[in-house]
């Protein structure tokens, strides 16, 4: 399989070099091989990586969303950039356009199929706040995009210039961050923890089958984030089901639920590596990266990690009647869900999503490879041979 290096490099040489250096350079970001140059990114997921999909299809988040970096609402549910933005920036690629956005989009270096509120399984009926674009549909949109973009590319002109080259599909990085809403919606639907636990294998199977479909369409470099500590998020901490707290104020039972999901996801990825022999699959333990930030918030220069910056009221500054950027009525008075004074020292933005400061911190943590399996830096993630060293 072709490596995506900046310069051509005989892969046998890379392999030999790695064996020689393995003992000393395991965590060395240099690794002796050229850094990866992905020409495009295709992303699948939920609000953690939506760069404007749900905003284009339904209602756009209002100020103060976007205030920190874009200085206006940007379609992201954060005050600024998301981890996927930092990943694109890292590879010197433009921020991803949302597939659903019909205005001013440029797909020459990738497309984003993620939408806020997306689930892996079909979204629950009768619960507000979830996206109709669950993972199967995101895959369908990708398949449609792959075909039609090439038709348009071949026609040339301005529209053609906004589409990726055909060969980018095999060389692109495919990123996934989805699952939180499958758990979150079940909690909001008042399912018991036992019921939700029992549904996890089915959710993970659906995830894996979509990864296979993307592989069958030529995707080779796959980066899969597991799900974060949902029990540390204000919108969950207000639920009675959240139960016992840990020493950082997070819900123990809900974090155990997320960890159960992550265990099953990890098993599925082990199987995917066997089923998809030409794929380089990186599993990223976002759970541990986020939990480490929350549990060491002060040490890393952050404060109040389980309290929303933007919102209103109570222990968590979160009230579903007065959401960030909206006006709600509390005790007969109209109140606007506004931002805290200094989002740059806060972890949680709006009760569900992370601040730009937290996303940047998390990106810096995960890009070293410290939370990855195989434990190789983001910039080396195209070299399948490195991955095989750890899994053979
Ligand atoms: C689309 O994006 C590419 C990469 O950033 C850029 O070179 C190109 O000029 C853009 N096209 C238009 C029409 O803006
Ligand atoms: C893409 O196009 C090819 C050839 O035209 C066709 O065989 C295939 O079914 C199409 N796939 C999708 C998902 O539309
Ligand atoms: C879940 O329970 C709460 C509290 O009893 C109730 O207000 C809410 O409507 C229930 N949600 C669903 C989807 O049944
Ligand atoms: C509404 O008023 C009650 C009684 O004054 C108070 O205890 C409660 O905190 C208020 N609710 C909010 C969300 O401010």
């Amino acid at each position: 399989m072709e490596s995506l290096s900046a310069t051509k490099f005989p892969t046998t040489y890379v392999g030999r070099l790695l064996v020689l250096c393995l003992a000393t350079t395991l965590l060395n970001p240099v690794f002796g091989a050229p850094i990866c140059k992905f020409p495009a990114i295709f992303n699948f997921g939920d609000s953690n990586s939506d760069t404007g999909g749900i905003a284009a299809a339904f209602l756009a988040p209002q100020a103060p969303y976007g205030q920190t970096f874009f200085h206006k609402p940007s379609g992201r549910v954060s005050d600024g950039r998301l981890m996927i933005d930092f990943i694109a920036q890292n590879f010197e690629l433009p921020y991803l356009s949302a597939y659903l956005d019909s205005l001013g989009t440029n797909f020459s270096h990738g497309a984003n199929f993620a939408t806020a509120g997306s689930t892996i399984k079909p979204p629950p009926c009768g619960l507000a706040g979830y996206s109709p674009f669950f993972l199967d549909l995101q895959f369908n949109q990708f398949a449609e995009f792959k075909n039609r973009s090439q038709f348009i590319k071949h026609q040339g002109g301005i529209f053609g210039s906004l589409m990726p080259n055909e060969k980018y599909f095999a060389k692109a990085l495919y990123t996934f961050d989805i699952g939180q809403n499958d758990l979150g919606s079940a909690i909001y639907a008042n399912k018991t923890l036992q019921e939700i636990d029992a549904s996890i294998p089915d959710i993970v199977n659906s995830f894996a089958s979509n990864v296979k479909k993307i592989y069958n369409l030529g995707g080779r470099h796959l980066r899969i984030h597991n799900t974060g500590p949902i029990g540390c998020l204000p919108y969950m901490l207000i639920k009675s089901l959240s139960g016992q707290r840990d020493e950082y104020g997070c819900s123990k039972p809900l974090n155990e639920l997320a960890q159960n999901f992550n265990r099953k996801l990890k098993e599925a990825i082990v199987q995917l590596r066997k089923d998809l022999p030409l794929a380089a699959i990186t599993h990223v333990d976002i759970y541990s990266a986020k939990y480490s930030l929350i549990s060491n918030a002060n040490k890393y220069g952050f404060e109040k990690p389980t309290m929303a910056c933007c919102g209103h009221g109570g222990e968590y500054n979160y009230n579903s009647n007065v959401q960030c950027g909206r006006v709600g009525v509390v005790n007969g008075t109209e109140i606007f869900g506004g931002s805290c004074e200094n989002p740059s020292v806060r972890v949680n933005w709006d009760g569900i999503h992370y601040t730009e400061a937290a996303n940047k911190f998390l990106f810096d943590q995960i890009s070293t490879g410290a939370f990855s399996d195989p434990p190789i830096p983001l910039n080396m993630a195209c070299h399948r041979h490195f991955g095989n060293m750890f899994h053979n």
Side-chain angles (χ1 to χ4, degrees), residues 125-127 185-191 239-240:
C125 288
L127 264 192
S185 63
I187 293 164
Y188 265 78
N190 298 330
K191 297 225 167 89
K239 301 291 291 178
S240 56

Short mmCIF file of all heavy atoms in Angstrom, two decimals, residues 125-127 185-191 239-240, ligand 3:
data_model
loop_
_atom_site.label_atom_id
_atom_site.label_comp_id
_atom_site.label_asym_id
_atom_site.label_seq_id
_atom_site.Cartn_x
_atom_site.Cartn_y
_atom_site.Cartn_z
N CYS A 125 -37.35 8.71 18.29
CA CYS A 125 -38.55 9.45 17.91
C CYS A 125 -39.03 10.28 19.09
O CYS A 125 -38.95 9.85 20.24
CB CYS A 125 -39.67 8.48 17.53
SG CYS A 125 -39.35 7.70 15.96
N GLY A 126 -39.50 11.47 18.81
CA GLY A 126 -40.17 12.26 19.83
C GLY A 126 -39.27 12.90 20.85
O GLY A 126 -39.74 13.45 21.83
N LEU A 127 -37.97 12.87 20.63
CA LEU A 127 -37.05 13.58 21.53
C LEU A 127 -36.47 14.73 20.74
O LEU A 127 -35.87 14.52 19.68
CB LEU A 127 -35.91 12.67 21.98
CG LEU A 127 -35.98 11.91 23.30
CD1 LEU A 127 -34.61 11.34 23.63
CD2 LEU A 127 -36.49 12.77 24.44
N SER A 185 -29.11 10.30 24.36
CA SER A 185 -30.54 10.28 24.04
C SER A 185 -31.26 9.19 24.83
O SER A 185 -32.40 9.37 25.25
CB SER A 185 -30.75 10.10 22.54
OG SER A 185 -30.26 8.85 22.11
N ALA A 186 -30.57 8.08 25.05
CA ALA A 186 -31.19 7.00 25.84
C ALA A 186 -31.38 7.45 27.28
O ALA A 186 -32.40 7.13 27.92
CB ALA A 186 -30.33 5.74 25.78
N ILE A 187 -30.43 8.21 27.80
CA ILE A 187 -30.56 8.74 29.16
C ILE A 187 -31.73 9.71 29.22
O ILE A 187 -32.56 9.65 30.13
CB ILE A 187 -29.24 9.42 29.60
CG1 ILE A 187 -28.13 8.36 29.75
CG2 ILE A 187 -29.43 10.19 30.91
CD1 ILE A 187 -26.72 8.93 29.79
N TYR A 188 -31.84 10.58 28.21
CA TYR A 188 -32.95 11.55 28.18
C TYR A 188 -34.30 10.88 27.91
O TYR A 188 -35.34 11.43 28.23
CB TYR A 188 -32.66 12.68 27.19
CG TYR A 188 -32.05 13.87 27.90
CD1 TYR A 188 -30.71 13.88 28.27
CD2 TYR A 188 -32.83 14.96 28.27
CE1 TYR A 188 -30.17 14.93 28.97
CE2 TYR A 188 -32.30 16.03 28.97
CZ TYR A 188 -30.96 16.02 29.32
OH TYR A 188 -30.44 17.06 30.02
N ALA A 189 -34.27 9.68 27.32
CA ALA A 189 -35.51 8.94 27.11
C ALA A 189 -35.89 8.12 28.33
O ALA A 189 -36.82 7.30 28.28
CB ALA A 189 -35.38 8.03 25.89
N ASN A 190 -35.16 8.33 29.43
CA ASN A 190 -35.45 7.67 30.71
C ASN A 190 -35.27 6.15 30.67
O ASN A 190 -35.92 5.42 31.40
CB ASN A 190 -36.86 8.01 31.22
CG ASN A 190 -37.03 9.50 31.47
OD1 ASN A 190 -36.07 10.18 31.81
ND2 ASN A 190 -38.25 9.99 31.30
N LYS A 191 -34.37 5.68 29.80
CA LYS A 191 -34.03 4.26 29.84
C LYS A 191 -33.19 4.00 31.09
O LYS A 191 -32.49 4.90 31.59
CB LYS A 191 -33.22 3.88 28.60
CG LYS A 191 -33.99 4.06 27.29
CD LYS A 191 -33.80 2.86 26.38
CE LYS A 191 -34.77 2.84 25.24
NZ LYS A 191 -34.28 3.55 24.07
N LYS A 239 -29.34 15.37 35.53
CA LYS A 239 -30.29 14.26 35.50
C LYS A 239 -30.19 13.44 36.79
O LYS A 239 -29.09 13.18 37.27
CB LYS A 239 -29.98 13.32 34.32
CG LYS A 239 -30.03 13.96 32.96
CD LYS A 239 -31.42 14.36 32.56
CE LYS A 239 -32.32 13.17 32.28
NZ LYS A 239 -33.70 13.60 31.93
N SER A 240 -31.34 12.99 37.28
CA SER A 240 -31.31 12.23 38.54
C SER A 240 -30.56 10.91 38.38
O SER A 240 -29.90 10.44 39.30
CB SER A 240 -32.73 11.98 39.03
OG SER A 240 -33.47 11.32 38.04
C1 LIG B 3 -38.34 11.39 31.54
O1 LIG B 3 -38.67 11.64 32.88
C2 LIG B 3 -38.86 13.02 33.19
C3 LIG B 3 -39.05 13.16 34.69
O2 LIG B 3 -39.95 12.22 35.18
C4 LIG B 3 -40.05 13.57 32.40
O3 LIG B 3 -40.22 14.93 32.66
C5 LIG B 3 -39.75 13.38 30.90
O4 LIG B 3 -40.84 13.80 30.13
C6 LIG B 3 -39.44 11.92 30.60
N1 LIG B 3 -38.97 11.82 29.22
C7 LIG B 3 -39.46 10.94 28.35
C8 LIG B 3 -38.91 11.01 26.96
O5 LIG B 3 -40.30 10.12 28.64
#
